[in-house]
Coordinates of all heavy atoms in Angstrom, one line a residue:
L59 N -157.8 -75.2 -243.7 CA -156.9 -75.1 -242.6 C -157.7 -74.7 -241.3 O -158.5 -73.7 -241.3 CB -155.8 -74.0 -242.8 CG -154.9 -73.7 -241.6 CD1 -154.0 -74.9 -241.3 CD2 -154.0 -72.5 -241.9
R60 N -157.6 -75.5 -240.3 CA -158.2 -75.2 -239.0 C -157.2 -74.6 -238.1 O -156.1 -75.2 -237.8 CB -158.9 -76.5 -238.4 CG -159.9 -77.1 -239.3 CD -160.4 -78.4 -238.7 NE -161.1 -78.2 -237.4 CZ -162.4 -78.1 -237.3 NH1 -163.2 -78.1 -238.4 NH2 -163.0 -77.9 -236.1
I61 N -157.5 -73.4 -237.5 CA -156.5 -72.7 -236.7 C -157.0 -72.6 -235.3 O -158.1 -72.0 -235.0 CB -156.3 -71.3 -237.3 CG1 -155.8 -71.4 -238.8 CG2 -155.2 -70.5 -236.5 CD1 -155.8 -70.0 -239.5
S62 N -156.2 -73.1 -234.3 CA -156.5 -72.9 -232.9 C -155.9 -71.6 -232.5 O -154.7 -71.4 -232.6 CB -156.0 -74.1 -232.1 OG -156.1 -73.8 -230.7
L63 N -156.7 -70.6 -232.0 CA -156.2 -69.3 -231.7 C -155.8 -69.2 -230.2 O -155.1 -68.3 -229.8 CB -157.3 -68.3 -231.9 CG -157.7 -68.1 -233.4 CD1 -158.8 -67.0 -233.5 CD2 -156.5 -67.6 -234.2
T64 N -156.3 -70.1 -229.4 CA -156.0 -70.1 -227.9 C -156.2 -71.4 -227.3 O -156.9 -72.3 -227.8 CB -156.9 -69.0 -227.2 OG1 -156.5 -69.0 -225.8 CG2 -158.3 -69.4 -227.4
R85 N -147.3 -66.9 -223.2 CA -147.8 -66.0 -224.3 C -146.7 -66.0 -225.4 O -147.1 -66.0 -226.6 CB -148.0 -64.6 -223.8 CG -148.6 -63.7 -224.9 CD -148.8 -62.3 -224.3 NE -149.9 -62.3 -223.3 CZ -151.2 -62.2 -223.6 NH1 -151.6 -62.0 -224.9 NH2 -152.1 -62.2 -222.7
S86 N -145.4 -66.0 -225.0 CA -144.4 -65.9 -226.0 C -144.3 -67.2 -226.9 O -143.8 -67.1 -228.0 CB -143.0 -65.7 -225.3 OG -142.7 -66.8 -224.5
S87 N -144.8 -68.3 -226.4 CA -144.8 -69.5 -227.2 C -145.9 -69.6 -228.2 O -145.9 -70.5 -229.1 CB -144.8 -70.7 -226.3 OG -146.0 -70.8 -225.6
L88 N -146.9 -68.7 -228.1 CA -148.1 -68.8 -229.0 C -147.8 -67.9 -230.2 O -146.9 -67.0 -230.2 CB -149.3 -68.2 -228.3 CG -149.8 -68.9 -227.0 CD1 -151.0 -68.3 -226.5 CD2 -150.0 -70.4 -227.3
L89 N -148.5 -68.2 -231.3 CA -148.3 -67.5 -232.5 C -148.8 -66.1 -232.4 O -149.9 -65.8 -231.8 CB -149.1 -68.1 -233.7 CG -148.5 -69.4 -234.3 CD1 -149.4 -70.0 -235.4 CD2 -147.1 -69.1 -235.0
S90 N -148.0 -65.1 -232.9 CA -148.5 -63.7 -233.0 C -149.4 -63.6 -234.2 O -149.4 -64.5 -235.1 CB -147.3 -62.8 -233.0 OG -146.6 -62.9 -234.3
V91 N -150.1 -62.5 -234.3 CA -151.0 -62.3 -235.4 C -150.2 -62.2 -236.7 O -150.6 -62.7 -237.7 CB -151.8 -61.0 -235.2 CG1 -152.7 -60.7 -236.4 CG2 -152.7 -61.2 -234.0
E92 N -149.0 -61.5 -236.6 CA -148.2 -61.4 -237.8 C -147.6 -62.7 -238.3 O -147.6 -63.1 -239.5 CB -147.1 -60.4 -237.6 CG -146.2 -60.1 -238.8 CD -147.0 -59.6 -240.0 OE1 -148.0 -58.9 -239.8 OE2 -146.6 -60.0 -241.1
E93 N -147.2 -63.6 -237.3 CA -146.7 -64.9 -237.6 C -147.8 -65.7 -238.3 O -147.6 -66.5 -239.2 CB -146.1 -65.6 -236.4 CG -144.8 -65.0 -235.9 CD -144.5 -65.4 -234.5 OE1 -145.3 -66.0 -233.8 OE2 -143.3 -65.2 -234.1
L94 N -149.0 -65.6 -237.7 CA -150.1 -66.3 -238.3 C -150.4 -65.9 -239.7 O -150.7 -66.7 -240.6 CB -151.4 -66.1 -237.4 CG -152.7 -66.8 -237.9 CD1 -152.5 -68.3 -237.9 CD2 -153.8 -66.4 -236.9
R95 N -150.3 -64.6 -240.0 CA -150.5 -64.1 -241.4 C -149.4 -64.7 -242.3 O -149.8 -65.0 -243.5 CB -150.4 -62.6 -241.4 CG -151.7 -61.8 -241.1 CD -151.5 -60.3 -241.3 NE -151.0 -60.0 -242.6 CZ -151.7 -59.9 -243.8 NH1 -153.0 -60.1 -243.7 NH2 -151.1 -59.6 -244.9
V96 N -148.2 -64.7 -241.9 CA -147.1 -65.3 -242.7 C -147.4 -66.7 -243.1 O -147.3 -67.1 -244.3 CB -145.8 -65.2 -242.0 CG1 -144.7 -65.9 -242.8 CG2 -145.4 -63.7 -241.9
I97 N -147.8 -67.5 -242.1 CA -148.1 -69.0 -242.4 C -149.3 -69.1 -243.3 O -149.3 -69.9 -244.2 CB -148.3 -69.7 -241.0 CG1 -147.0 -69.7 -240.2 CG2 -148.8 -71.1 -241.3 CD1 -147.2 -70.2 -238.8
V98 N -150.4 -68.4 -243.0 CA -151.6 -68.5 -243.8 C -151.3 -68.0 -245.2 O -151.8 -68.6 -246.2 CB -152.8 -67.8 -243.1 CG1 -154.0 -67.8 -244.1 CG2 -153.1 -68.4 -241.8
G99 N -150.6 -66.9 -245.3 CA -150.2 -66.4 -246.6 C -149.5 -67.4 -247.5 O -149.8 -67.6 -248.7
A100 N -148.5 -68.2 -246.9 CA -147.8 -69.2 -247.6 C -148.7 -70.3 -248.0 O -148.6 -70.8 -249.2 CB -146.7 -69.7 -246.7
L101 N -149.6 -70.8 -247.1 CA -150.5 -71.8 -247.5 C -151.6 -71.4 -248.5 O -151.9 -72.2 -249.4 CB -151.2 -72.3 -246.2 CG -150.3 -73.0 -245.1 CD1 -151.1 -73.3 -243.9 CD2 -149.6 -74.2 -245.7
A102 N -152.0 -70.2 -248.4 CA -153.0 -69.7 -249.4 C -152.4 -69.7 -250.8 O -153.1 -70.0 -251.8 CB -153.4 -68.3 -249.0
A103 N -151.1 -69.4 -250.9 CA -150.4 -69.4 -252.2 C -150.3 -70.8 -252.8 O -150.2 -71.0 -254.0 CB -149.0 -68.8 -252.1
V106 N -154.7 -73.2 -250.2 CA -155.6 -73.2 -249.1 C -156.5 -72.0 -249.2 O -156.0 -70.9 -249.3 CB -154.8 -73.2 -247.8 CG1 -155.8 -72.9 -246.6 CG2 -154.1 -74.5 -247.6
K108 N -159.9 -72.0 -247.4 CA -160.9 -72.0 -246.4 C -160.2 -72.1 -245.0 O -159.4 -73.0 -244.8 CB -161.8 -73.2 -246.7 CG -162.9 -73.3 -245.7 CD -163.8 -74.5 -246.0 CE -165.0 -74.7 -245.0 NZ -165.8 -75.8 -245.3
L109 N -160.6 -71.2 -244.1 CA -160.1 -71.2 -242.8 C -161.2 -71.4 -241.8 O -162.3 -70.9 -242.0 CB -159.4 -69.9 -242.5 CG -158.3 -69.4 -243.5 CD1 -157.7 -68.1 -243.0 CD2 -157.1 -70.5 -243.6
R110 N -160.9 -72.1 -240.7 CA -161.8 -72.2 -239.6 C -161.0 -71.9 -238.3 O -160.0 -72.5 -238.0 CB -162.4 -73.6 -239.5 CG -163.3 -73.7 -238.2 CD -164.2 -75.0 -238.3 NE -165.2 -74.9 -239.4 CZ -166.3 -74.2 -239.3 NH1 -166.6 -73.6 -238.3 NH2 -167.1 -74.3 -240.4
L111 N -161.5 -71.0 -237.5 CA -160.9 -70.5 -236.2 C -161.5 -71.3 -235.1 O -162.8 -71.3 -234.9 CB -161.1 -69.0 -236.1 CG -160.6 -68.2 -237.2 CD1 -160.9 -66.7 -236.9 CD2 -159.2 -68.4 -237.6
T112 N -160.7 -71.9 -234.3 CA -161.1 -72.8 -233.2 C -160.3 -72.4 -231.9 O -159.6 -71.4 -231.9 CB -161.0 -74.3 -233.5 OG1 -159.6 -74.6 -233.6 CG2 -161.7 -74.6 -234.8
G113 N -160.4 -73.2 -230.9 CA -159.7 -73.0 -229.7 C -159.2 -74.3 -229.1 O -158.9 -75.2 -229.8
P116 N -162.3 -69.5 -229.2 CA -161.7 -68.3 -230.0 C -162.2 -67.0 -229.5 O -161.6 -66.0 -229.7 CB -162.0 -68.7 -231.4 CG -163.2 -69.6 -231.4 CD -163.0 -70.4 -230.1
R119 N -160.3 -64.3 -227.4 CA -159.3 -63.4 -228.0 C -159.9 -62.1 -228.1 O -160.8 -61.9 -228.9 CB -158.8 -64.0 -229.3 CG -157.9 -65.2 -229.2 CD -156.5 -64.9 -228.7 NE -155.8 -64.0 -229.6 CZ -154.8 -64.3 -230.4 NH1 -154.4 -65.6 -230.5 NH2 -154.1 -63.5 -231.1
D121 N -158.7 -59.6 -229.7 CA -158.3 -59.1 -231.0 C -158.9 -60.0 -232.1 O -158.4 -60.0 -233.2 CB -156.8 -59.0 -231.2 CG -156.1 -60.3 -230.9 OD1 -156.7 -61.3 -230.4 OD2 -154.9 -60.4 -231.2
L122 N -160.0 -60.8 -231.8 CA -160.5 -61.7 -232.7 C -161.0 -61.0 -234.0 O -160.7 -61.5 -235.1 CB -161.7 -62.5 -232.1 CG -162.3 -63.6 -233.0 CD1 -161.3 -64.6 -233.5 CD2 -163.5 -64.3 -232.2
A123 N -161.7 -59.9 -233.9 CA -162.1 -59.2 -235.1 C -161.0 -58.8 -236.0 O -161.0 -58.9 -237.2 CB -163.0 -58.0 -234.7
D124 N -159.9 -58.3 -235.3 CA -158.7 -57.9 -236.1 C -158.1 -59.1 -236.8 O -157.6 -59.0 -238.0 CB -157.7 -57.2 -235.2 CG -158.2 -55.9 -234.6 OD1 -159.1 -55.3 -235.3 OD2 -157.7 -55.6 -233.5
I125 N -158.1 -60.2 -236.1 CA -157.5 -61.5 -236.7 C -158.3 -61.9 -238.0 O -157.8 -62.2 -239.0 CB -157.5 -62.6 -235.7 CG1 -156.5 -62.3 -234.6 CG2 -157.1 -63.9 -236.4 CD1 -156.4 -63.3 -233.5
I126 N -159.7 -61.9 -237.8 CA -160.5 -62.2 -238.9 C -160.3 -61.3 -240.1 O -160.2 -61.7 -241.3 CB -162.0 -62.2 -238.5 CG1 -162.2 -63.4 -237.5 CG2 -162.9 -62.4 -239.7 CD1 -163.6 -63.3 -236.8
Q127 N -160.3 -60.0 -239.9 CA -160.1 -59.0 -240.9 C -158.8 -59.2 -241.6 O -158.6 -59.1 -242.8 CB -160.2 -57.6 -240.4 CG -160.2 -56.5 -241.4 CD -160.6 -55.2 -240.8 OE1 -160.5 -55.0 -239.6 NE2 -160.9 -54.2 -241.6
S128 N -157.7 -59.5 -240.8 CA -156.4 -59.7 -241.4 C -156.3 -60.9 -242.2 O -155.7 -60.9 -243.3 CB -155.4 -59.7 -240.2 OG -154.1 -60.0 -240.7
L129 N -156.9 -62.0 -241.8 CA -156.9 -63.2 -242.6 C -157.7 -63.2 -243.8 O -157.3 -63.7 -244.9 CB -157.3 -64.4 -241.7 CG -156.5 -64.7 -240.5 CD1 -157.1 -65.9 -239.7 CD2 -155.0 -65.1 -240.9
K130 N -158.9 -62.5 -243.7 CA -159.7 -62.4 -244.8 C -159.1 -61.5 -246.0 O -159.5 -61.7 -247.1 CB -161.1 -61.8 -244.4 CG -162.2 -61.9 -245.4 CD -162.6 -63.4 -245.6 CE -163.7 -63.5 -246.6 NZ -165.0 -62.9 -246.2
A131 N -158.2 -60.7 -245.6 CA -157.5 -59.8 -246.6 C -156.4 -60.5 -247.4 O -155.9 -60.0 -248.3 CB -157.0 -58.6 -245.9
I132 N -156.0 -61.7 -247.0 CA -155.0 -62.5 -247.6 C -155.5 -63.0 -249.0 O -156.6 -63.5 -249.1 CB -154.5 -63.7 -246.8 CG1 -153.9 -63.1 -245.5 CG2 -153.5 -64.5 -247.5 CD1 -153.5 -64.2 -244.5
D133 N -154.7 -62.7 -250.0 CA -155.1 -63.1 -251.3 C -155.3 -64.7 -251.4 O -154.4 -65.4 -251.0 CB -154.0 -62.7 -252.3 CG -154.4 -62.9 -253.8 OD1 -155.6 -62.9 -254.0 OD2 -153.5 -63.1 -254.6
I135 N -157.8 -66.4 -249.9 CA -158.7 -66.8 -248.8 C -160.1 -66.4 -249.2 O -160.4 -65.2 -249.2 CB -158.3 -66.3 -247.4 CG1 -156.9 -66.8 -247.1 CG2 -159.3 -66.7 -246.4 CD1 -156.7 -68.3 -247.0
V138 N -163.7 -67.5 -244.1 CA -163.2 -67.6 -242.7 C -164.4 -67.9 -241.8 O -165.4 -67.1 -241.8 CB -162.5 -66.3 -242.3 CG1 -162.1 -66.4 -240.8 CG2 -161.3 -66.0 -243.2
S139 N -164.4 -69.0 -241.2 CA -165.5 -69.4 -240.3 C -165.0 -69.7 -238.9 O -163.8 -69.6 -238.6 CB -166.2 -70.7 -240.8 OG -165.3 -71.7 -241.0
L305 N -155.9 -79.5 -242.8 CA -154.7 -79.3 -242.1 C -155.1 -78.6 -240.8 O -156.1 -77.9 -240.7 CB -153.7 -78.4 -242.8 CG -153.2 -78.9 -244.2 CD1 -152.5 -77.9 -244.9 CD2 -152.4 -80.2 -244.0
R306 N -154.3 -78.8 -239.7 CA -154.6 -78.1 -238.4 C -153.3 -77.4 -237.9 O -152.2 -78.0 -238.0 CB -155.0 -79.2 -237.4 CG -156.4 -79.7 -237.7 CD -156.8 -80.9 -236.8 NE -158.2 -81.2 -237.0 CZ -158.7 -81.9 -238.0 NH1 -157.9 -82.5 -238.9 NH2 -160.0 -82.2 -238.0
L307 N -153.6 -76.2 -237.4 CA -152.5 -75.4 -236.8 C -152.8 -75.1 -235.4 O -153.9 -74.5 -235.1 CB -152.3 -74.1 -237.6 CG -151.2 -73.2 -237.3 CD1 -149.8 -73.9 -237.6 CD2 -151.2 -71.9 -238.0
T308 N -152.0 -75.6 -234.5 CA -152.2 -75.4 -233.0 C -151.9 -74.0 -232.6 O -151.2 -73.2 -233.4 CB -151.4 -76.4 -232.2 OG1 -150.0 -76.1 -232.4 CG2 -151.7 -77.8 -232.6
A309 N -152.3 -73.6 -231.4 CA -152.1 -72.2 -231.0 C -150.6 -71.9 -230.9 O -150.2 -70.7 -231.0 CB -152.8 -72.0 -229.6
D310 N -149.8 -72.9 -230.6 CA -148.3 -72.6 -230.5 C -147.6 -72.9 -231.8 O -146.4 -73.0 -231.8 CB -147.7 -73.5 -229.4 CG -148.0 -74.9 -229.5 OD1 -148.7 -75.3 -230.4 OD2 -147.5 -75.7 -228.7
G311 N -148.4 -73.0 -232.9 CA -147.7 -73.0 -234.2 C -147.3 -74.3 -234.8 O -146.5 -74.4 -235.7
N312 N -147.8 -75.4 -234.2 CA -147.5 -76.7 -234.7 C -148.5 -77.2 -235.8 O -149.7 -77.0 -235.6 CB -147.4 -77.8 -233.6 CG -146.2 -77.6 -232.7 OD1 -145.2 -77.2 -233.2 ND2 -146.4 -77.8 -231.4
L313 N -148.0 -77.7 -236.9 CA -148.9 -78.2 -237.9 C -149.2 -79.7 -237.7 O -148.3 -80.5 -237.5 CB -148.3 -78.0 -239.3 CG -149.1 -78.5 -240.5 CD1 -150.2 -77.6 -240.8 CD2 -148.2 -78.7 -241.7
S324 N -143.3 -77.8 -236.3 CA -143.4 -76.4 -235.8 C -143.1 -75.4 -236.9 O -142.0 -75.2 -237.3 CB -142.4 -76.2 -234.7 OG -142.5 -74.9 -234.2
L325 N -144.2 -74.8 -237.4 CA -144.1 -73.7 -238.3 C -143.7 -72.4 -237.6 O -143.1 -71.5 -238.2 CB -145.4 -73.5 -239.1 CG -145.8 -74.8 -239.9 CD1 -147.1 -74.4 -240.7 CD2 -144.7 -75.3 -240.8
R326 N -144.1 -72.3 -236.3 CA -143.7 -71.1 -235.5 C -142.2 -71.0 -235.5 O -141.6 -69.9 -235.7 CB -144.3 -71.3 -234.1 CG -143.9 -70.1 -233.2 CD -144.0 -70.6 -231.8 NE -143.0 -71.6 -231.5 CZ -143.0 -72.4 -230.3 NH1 -143.9 -72.2 -229.4 NH2 -142.1 -73.3 -230.2
D327 N -141.5 -72.1 -235.2 CA -140.0 -72.0 -235.1 C -139.4 -71.6 -236.4 O -138.4 -70.9 -236.5 CB -139.5 -73.3 -234.6 CG -139.9 -73.6 -233.1 OD1 -140.4 -72.7 -232.5 OD2 -139.7 -74.7 -232.7
A328 N -140.0 -72.2 -237.5 CA -139.5 -71.9 -238.8 C -139.6 -70.4 -239.1 O -138.7 -69.8 -239.7 CB -140.2 -72.7 -239.9
V329 N -140.8 -69.8 -238.8 CA -141.0 -68.4 -239.1 C -140.1 -67.5 -238.3 O -139.5 -66.6 -238.8 CB -142.5 -68.0 -238.8 CG1 -142.7 -66.5 -238.9 CG2 -143.4 -68.7 -239.8
R330 N -139.9 -67.9 -237.0 CA -139.0 -67.1 -236.1 C -137.6 -67.3 -236.5 O -136.8 -66.5 -236.2 CB -139.3 -67.5 -234.7 CG -140.7 -67.1 -234.2 CD -140.9 -67.5 -232.7 NE -142.2 -67.1 -232.3 CZ -142.8 -67.3 -231.1 NH1 -142.0 -67.9 -230.2 NH2 -144.0 -66.9 -230.8
A333 N -137.6 -68.2 -241.9 CA -138.1 -69.0 -243.1 C -139.1 -68.2 -243.9 O -140.0 -67.6 -243.3 CB -138.7 -70.3 -242.6
G334 N -139.0 -68.3 -245.2 CA -139.9 -67.6 -246.1 C -141.0 -68.6 -246.5 O -141.1 -69.8 -246.1
P335 N -141.9 -68.1 -247.4 CA -143.0 -69.0 -247.8 C -142.5 -70.3 -248.5 O -143.1 -71.4 -248.2 CB -143.7 -68.1 -248.9 CG -143.4 -66.7 -248.5 CD -142.0 -66.8 -247.9
L338 N -141.6 -72.7 -245.7 CA -142.7 -73.2 -245.0 C -143.5 -74.2 -245.8 O -143.9 -75.3 -245.2 CB -143.7 -72.0 -244.7 CG -143.1 -71.0 -243.7 CD1 -144.1 -69.8 -243.5 CD2 -142.9 -71.6 -242.3
L339 N -143.7 -74.0 -247.1 CA -144.3 -75.0 -247.9 C -143.5 -76.3 -248.0 O -144.1 -77.4 -248.1 CB -144.6 -74.4 -249.3 CG -145.6 -73.3 -249.4 CD1 -145.8 -72.8 -250.8 CD2 -147.0 -73.8 -248.8
V342 N -144.5 -78.2 -244.9 CA -145.8 -78.7 -244.9 C -145.9 -79.9 -245.9 O -146.5 -80.9 -245.6 CB -146.8 -77.6 -245.4 CG1 -148.2 -78.1 -245.6 CG2 -146.8 -76.4 -244.4

Side-chain angles (χ1 to χ4, degrees):
L59 176 65
R60 300 176 64 94
I61 303 170
S62 173
L63 294 180
T64 180
R85 183 179 295 271
S86 61
S87 66
L88 302 180
L89 283 175
S90 68
V91 177
E92 184 55 35
E93 290 168 344
L94 181 59
R95 272 187 54 85
V96 171
I97 294 173
V98 173
L101 295 176
V106 171
K108 182 178 179 181
L109 306 179
R110 176 167 296 280
L111 307 180
T112 67
R119 289 284 297 255
D121 57 349
L122 180 57
D124 296 333
I125 293 174
I126 293 173
Q127 187 172 16
S128 177
L129 296 178
K130 195 66 182 294
I132 295 175
D133 188 29
I135 299 300
V138 177
S139 56
L305 300 171
R306 289 173 169 82
L307 187 65
T308 64
D310 55 356
N312 287 325
L313 178 78
S324 179
L325 300 185
R326 176 203 65 191
D327 293 349
V329 171
R330 293 181 181 179
L338 292 176
L339 290 178
V342 174

